[in-house]
Amino acid sequence: MKKLFLVLSVICNIFFVFSEENKPEKEKNTQDTVKVYYLDEVVITSSVKETHELKKLPTAVSVVSPKQLRDTQIESLPGLSAYIPNFFIPVYGSKVSTPVYIRGIGARLGAQTVSMYVDNVPSFNPSAYDFEFQDIQRIEVLRGAQGTLYGRNAIGGIVNLYTLSPLSFQGANLMVGGGNYGQFSAKGSVYSKLADHFGISVGAYYKRDDGYFMNSHTGKKVDASENAGGRVKLEWEMTPSFKALLFGNYDYVSGGAFPYMHKDSTASNFNEPSSYDRHLFTNGLSLNYTGNGYSVHSTTGYQYLKDDMKMDQDYSPKSVFSIRQMQEQHSVSQEVTMKSDAQRNYRWVVGAFGFYDHRVIDTPVAIKEDGMAAMQGHLGAINNNPNIPITITYASDQIDLPGVYTKPSRGAALFHQSTLQNIFGWEGVSATAGLRFDYEHTGIDYFTESENGDINIRPKNAPPAMPPIFVETDTVMQGSYSKDFWNILPKFALKYQPSSTAVIYLSASKGYKTGGYNEQAFSKILQGALTQSIMGKVMPGMGTGAPGLTLEEQLSYDPETSWTYELGGRYEMLSRKLSFTYALFYSRVNNIQIIKLVDEGTAGRIVTNAGKSESKGFEVSLKYIPIGNLSLYADYGFADARFVNYQTEKQEGRETTEVDYSGNHIPFAPRHTLSLGAGYVHHFANGSFVDRLTGNIQYAGVGKIYWTESNQDYNGEELYQPFYGLVNGSIAAEKDAFSLELWAKNLFNTDYHSFYFEASDMTTGEVNSFVQHGFPTRLGVTLRYTMNR
């Protein structure tokens, strides 16, 4: 890292010299504009929180424009994976799970370490992250801890999505497209002014495919999907100083879930229903008032999520174990900020944030016939003991473990950030300091029970005609727990801007991720309670077991906190045809939250704390326009994320051993992300059949990705997904308002695993490896119509 730091320092000085050669006069335009160096597109940006213009933030930030989204065929958040350095979203086969990793920090399940906002309204559940993009004005990705201004669950960074305004754009956008594997999509939106200062936009979309992977048990595709939705946006500029915005988005998803298959197979093999359905409403009301030297902004958000996931939990044609998870969630948030005029030397922002989140999870688990046979075999220790005069059998061929868990949470925060320009009389030098006081109360109300877990008892010497004795052993668990979290989240930054084309900064910031309770832990806990109930009925006094963790301790996990340190810079040269950005970072995480398979995958997944971890690395972005109609770019990120202090237990069959994973790589987070691309536009003479022809090609690569905390498989062999890359491309012919595009994704049909896990076969005890393959080559054509008024 020291050598790397020296090399980058030299590079920075070289770029500084070149950027000084093109130093222009001070900009007169007060708007915060980011010129996206991709065929001369300019994106207008603004922030209701930051005390710096977006293009001069003392943190790593990437801005993606609508044209970039279209040219790279990015239609939802996972499509941005690797397109931004050190930004990775694996596709796990269902929109119920959208894990976001930035700089090696992320979460596969549970609360995210990267928060997402749509028109300043936050999403409280990662099940709401993956939806169809429509009429996006820009996407901002801020990398590194953003806790001071954004609070909880922003350890890795922030994703901000903004949609088009009907006051700044009037017209219509229409598209229809299709491709192999039954792909079909259609979108339409209309933007109009109903009065000089009042605008409305309405849009809708539909998308489907036949799926990509077979289920050999049914002979049908396991992951076919449909997606439909719509959006409405109203914007009213009541006076030059006061503006109101009201929007509502709806997204519906229906499809197969998780096409997992044995690593040696080419198809899934499920005999139980596996599907995922979701209804998602996101609504927001924004009010903005601009006074003399300050502005006040209010955002009220409401999100409703209702989904239903069915899953064959044994991933095989056996009837062992199935699960159904139904969520219903209401989230309300309110934020008010007051911000100074951006043109003053002293800039400040103060704000208050509050939220209430109410989530109900209904998760019935069923142990089926083959699972019951395995559990019957576990009773053999009793039945085969000659000193015990009875035999025990289960009275039913299926045990149901229904459970309803209510998880309410609420929180409040106060925050402030100040930036002082030209400190100590040094022109171009600024200092930023911020502080946030964050409070959260979270809890769980649970009701779960076992049904049909009763047993039959027969004396071993009983005549065959003697009926067994029926004994009720079903167990009910009901109660509630709650806890409070307090955090202080500071931020510090120094920035030097020698010219409008050069910035260098140094920053330190604290991040915080909330703690909580694991509802999936009840599957194992309830099975253990049922076993103890059986033992207590058969042999009184034997069912209490040894003292251990309390129930709350078994359910609970603690908050995760971090400190991130960053050195970075941005430079523009050659009349702004060439831009270069870089960042070196180091993050230290305490009480890192990871996902653990319970009993080798036979009893669900839980969030648990795994001691300390660290992530260090760098990222660079280079964009160059050698001639007016050719654009080149390259983005690379390196993140070395490892456990620093992680001792835990490993279960192998019925044996539990102590293991030390300190020094191992964090699972699921790639070490490298790489994106290379080029875009070319050829203009034809007036009167030609085609106005212009556009070509784009991209290469996106990620890896290594380790799959387990041990970094090994169950045989002790090193286990990871090697680095792989996908080639995507498109060619578009444009005439007036029409555009016809031919596109390809994963052009060379690269084979890779997007997920890997190990699970024990409950019936045999054998550990099996399961994978999910990445999508194959997808080809298609899209017709667009864009009318500007």
Side-chain angles (χ1 to χ4, degrees):
M1 288 295 292
K2 292 182 179 179
K3 292 181 179 179
L4 177 63
F5 179 81
L6 291 174
V7 171
L8 283 175
S9 296
V10 173
I11 294 174
C12 293
N13 288 327
I14 294 173
F15 273 88
F16 171 75
V17 171
F18 277 97
S19 64
E20 282 288 289
E21 291 179 358
N22 297 284
K23 181 176 180 180
E25 296 180 0
K26 292 184 178 180
E27 298 178 41
K28 297 179 181 180
N29 187 357
T30 61
Q31 285 185 314
D32 181 17
T33 64
V34 173
K35 186 170 185 180
V36 181
Y37 284 86
Y38 195 77
L39 305 180
D40 284 333
E41 186 176 19
V42 176
V43 175
I44 306 298
T45 65
S46 60
S47 172
V48 299
K49 293 183 180 182
E50 292 291 349
T51 50
H52 296 264
E53 293 88 352
L54 186 61
K55 61 185 176 182
K56 301 173 184 177
L57 276 179
T59 192
V61 57
S62 297
V63 179
V64 184
S65 72
K67 181 171 175 56
Q68 289 173 292
L69 294 175
R70 189 181 75 179
D71 290 344
T72 53
Q73 301 296 318
I74 294 175
E75 299 173 324
S76 60
L77 195 62
L80 286 171
S81 185
Y83 186 73
I84 294 169
N86 277 324
F87 183 87
F88 176 63
I89 302 179
V91 178
Y92 289 160
S94 171
K95 296 188 178 184
V96 69
S97 179
T98 309
V100 184
Y101 293 87
I102 294 182
R103 297 176 171 177
I105 296 175
R108 190 165 65 83
L109 293 173
Q112 276 294 353
T113 56
V114 177
S115 288
M116 186 182 74
Y117 290 72
V118 178
D119 287 331
N120 295 315
V121 173
S123 292
F124 286 82
N125 191 327
S127 295
Y129 279 21
D130 189 358
F131 56 88
E132 189 73 6
F133 288 168
Q134 185 178 27
D135 293 343
I136 298 295
Q137 190 270 335
R138 74 183 186 276
I139 299 175
E140 305 166 359
V141 178
L142 281 65
R143 302 186 294 282
Q146 307 294 327
T148 303
L149 293 182
Y150 293 92
R152 64 201 290 270
N153 302 347
I155 284 181
I158 289 292
V159 177
N160 285 324
L161 287 87
Y162 296 93
T163 57
L164 285 174
S165 164
L167 291 182
S168 59
F169 172 78
Q170 290 83 48
N173 293 322
L174 304 173
M175 67 81 68
V176 62
N180 58 343
Y181 295 99
Q183 296 180 87
F184 175 79
S185 61
K187 295 181 183 179
S189 57
V190 177
Y191 288 74
S192 179
K193 279 188 175 183
L194 302 182
D196 288 343
H197 301 287
F198 184 81
I200 182 172
S201 64
V202 179
Y205 55 86
Y206 174 79
K207 187 177 182 180
R208 70 170 302 278
D209 62 66
D210 291 338
Y212 304 94
F213 304 101
M214 293 295 298
N215 182 354
S216 58
H217 184 81
T218 63
K220 300 178 180 179
K221 294 288 179 64
V222 71
D223 58 334
S225 68
E226 282 189 295
N227 189 191
R231 52 186 302 273
V232 176
K233 190 172 189 179
L234 303 171
E235 199 162 356
W236 185 15
E237 190 174 358
M238 304 179 196
T239 70
S241 300
F242 188 68
K243 182 185 292 186
L245 182 152
L246 176 67
F247 74 89
N249 300 339
Y250 170 68
D251 184 80
Y252 171 69
V253 172
S254 177
F258 306 113
Y260 299 154
M261 61 190 71
H262 194 277
K263 69 173 184 178
D264 298 325
S265 177
T266 58
S268 300
N269 206 356
F270 302 158
N271 68 316
E272 298 288 345
S274 293
S275 62
Y276 181 64
D277 296 324
R278 184 192 70 192
H279 299 271
L280 175 65
F281 290 90
T282 304
N283 307 277
L285 171 64
S286 294
L287 305 174
N288 192 79
Y289 175 76
T290 302
N292 184 15
Y294 69 94
S295 62
V296 180
H297 186 89
S298 169
T299 299
T300 305
Y302 169 71
Q303 190 170 79
Y304 173 75
L305 184 147
K306 183 178 182 180
D307 65 4
D308 184 357
M309 182 189 72
K310 300 174 184 177
M311 191 170 183
D312 186 340
Q313 193 75 32
D314 56 86
Y315 322 110
S316 76
K318 298 178 182 178
S319 295
V320 181
F321 183 29
S322 69
I323 187 172
R324 184 177 185 183
Q325 176 180 285
M326 294 166 282
Q327 296 183 91
E328 188 168 12
Q329 184 172 12
H330 300 265
S331 307
V332 180
S333 62
Q334 175 64 55
E335 184 168 70
V336 178
T337 59
M338 181 179 289
K339 181 180 172 183
S340 64
D341 190 324
Q343 299 308 303
R344 297 181 177 180
N345 274 341
Y346 174 60
R347 307 174 184 179
W348 50 266
V349 62
V350 294
F353 174 76
F355 76 91
Y356 175 74
D357 183 55
H358 187 269
R359 181 182 174 203
V360 178
I361 307 169
D362 187 353
T363 310
V365 174
I367 302 175
K368 301 294 185 70
E369 297 94 324
D370 294 320
M372 292 300 300
M375 292 184 64
Q376 182 64 48
H378 296 161
L379 295 177
I382 297 175
N383 295 336
N384 296 329
N385 189 333
N387 297 320
I388 299 178
I390 60 173
T391 59
I392 305 171
T393 58
Y394 285 100
S396 176
D397 61 358
Q398 176 172 318
I399 295 178
D400 295 306
L401 306 173
V404 177
Y405 312 99
T406 302
K407 302 181 75 173
S409 62
R410 60 183 182 272
L414 297 173
F415 58 90
H416 169 76
Q417 180 171 293
S418 289
T419 294
L420 183 60
Q421 305 278 0
N422 303 320
I423 59 174
F424 307 122
W426 298 338
E427 186 175 356
V429 178
S430 66
T432 297
L435 195 65
R436 184 185 188 99
F437 297 92
D438 205 281
Y439 163 75
E440 181 173 348
H441 174 87
T442 188
I444 184 171
D445 300 325
Y446 61 89
F447 176 84
T448 183
E449 60 182 333
S450 59
E451 295 179 351
N452 305 318
D454 304 316
I455 60 172
N456 290 321
I457 298 177
R458 285 177 55 87
K460 289 182 178 179
N461 59 358
M466 179 179 174
I469 302 172
F470 178 80
V471 179
E472 292 186 358
T473 59
D474 281 333
T475 301
V476 175
M477 304 181 72
Q478 185 174 7
S480 63
Y481 299 110
S482 64
K483 51 186 174 181
D484 299 295
F485 305 124
W486 292 88
N487 262 283
I488 297 177
L489 304 172
K491 173 183 178 179
F492 309 95
L494 288 173
K495 184 182 70 174
Y496 176 47
Q497 185 177 342
S499 72
S500 62
T501 59
V503 172
I504 186 170
Y505 64 86
L506 179 67
S507 67
S509 55
K510 184 179 179 182
Y512 153 63
K513 180 180 176 182
T514 183
Y517 297 95
N518 285 296
E519 71 276 357
Q520 285 201 28
F522 275 102
S523 177
K524 176 180 173 62
I525 293 170
L526 194 58
Q527 289 181 54
L530 179 60
T531 300
Q532 289 209 352
S533 176
I534 292 173
M535 295 297 294
K537 294 293 179 64
V538 174
M539 292 177 286
M542 296 285 293
T544 57
L549 297 175
T550 66
L551 178 58
E552 183 174 13
E553 290 172 333
Q554 294 178 68
L555 299 175
S556 177
Y557 56 92
D558 294 328
E560 176 181 313
T561 59
S562 74
W563 272 97
T564 296
Y565 308 91
E566 183 174 323
L567 170 66
R570 304 181 188 91
Y571 305 91
E572 298 172 351
M573 293 150 286
L574 305 178
S575 300
R576 300 195 174 187
K577 290 183 177 181
L578 175 65
S579 68
F580 171 74
T581 66
Y582 74 93
L584 295 92
F585 62 87
Y586 174 79
S587 296
R588 183 85 170 191
V589 181
N590 292 323
N591 283 331
I592 181 174
Q593 297 172 10
I594 63 169
I595 302 303
K596 175 164 287 194
L597 297 177
V598 180
D599 287 351
E600 297 175 326
T602 62
R605 299 167 173 83
I606 62 169
V607 180
T608 187
N609 297 103
K612 297 180 180 179
S613 73
E614 66 178 12
S615 179
K616 54 189 175 182
F618 67 94
E619 49 213 20
V620 293
S621 295
L622 185 67
K623 294 178 174 58
Y624 180 46
I625 305 177
I627 56 178
N629 56 351
L630 176 64
S631 177
L632 307 173
Y633 68 85
D635 299 271
Y636 172 72
F638 171 76
D640 184 22
R642 298 174 183 261
F643 296 112
V644 174
N645 180 20
Y646 179 27
Q647 290 84 33
T648 186
E649 294 180 345
K650 181 179 180 181
Q651 187 167 348
E652 297 178 343
R654 297 186 179 182
E655 297 295 326
T656 301
T657 58
E658 299 287 334
V659 292
D660 187 351
Y661 291 146
S662 302
N664 286 7
H665 297 275
I666 302 293
F668 306 111
R671 300 194 74 195
H672 308 273
T673 61
L674 174 64
S675 178
L676 304 172
Y680 180 78
V681 178
H682 179 75
H683 296 271
F684 292 89
N686 292 335
S688 300
F689 179 73
V690 175
D691 291 337
R692 65 178 187 168
L693 194 66
T694 302
N696 294 278
I697 189 166
Q698 307 91 34
Y699 173 88
V702 299
K704 293 178 173 179
I705 302 174
Y706 287 87
W707 298 119
T708 63
E709 299 103 80
S710 67
N711 295 172
Q712 299 175 341
D713 64 13
Y714 58 90
N715 291 318
E717 300 291 331
E718 190 175 20
L719 178 65
Y720 61 87
Q721 165 63 52
F723 183 91
Y724 66 91
L726 308 180
V727 176
N728 306 321
S730 66
I731 298 176
E734 301 180 28
K735 178 65 175 178
D736 297 328
F738 291 92
S739 172
L740 182 65
E741 304 170 9
L742 303 177
W743 52 265
K745 298 181 181 180
N746 191 8
L747 183 61
F748 298 109
N749 203 30
T750 300
D751 185 24
Y752 63 98
H753 294 156
S754 61
F755 188 43
Y756 174 103
F757 67 98
E758 296 171 347
S760 175
D761 189 324
M762 186 176 178
T763 62
T764 65
E766 180 183 0
V767 178
N768 292 311
S769 300
F770 295 93
V771 299
Q772 181 180 323
H773 290 282
F775 291 130
T777 298
R778 291 173 286 171
L779 306 171
V781 59
T782 301
L783 177 65
R784 300 181 188 272
Y785 173 76
T786 303
M787 179 185 67
N788 294 320
R789 289 200 302 265

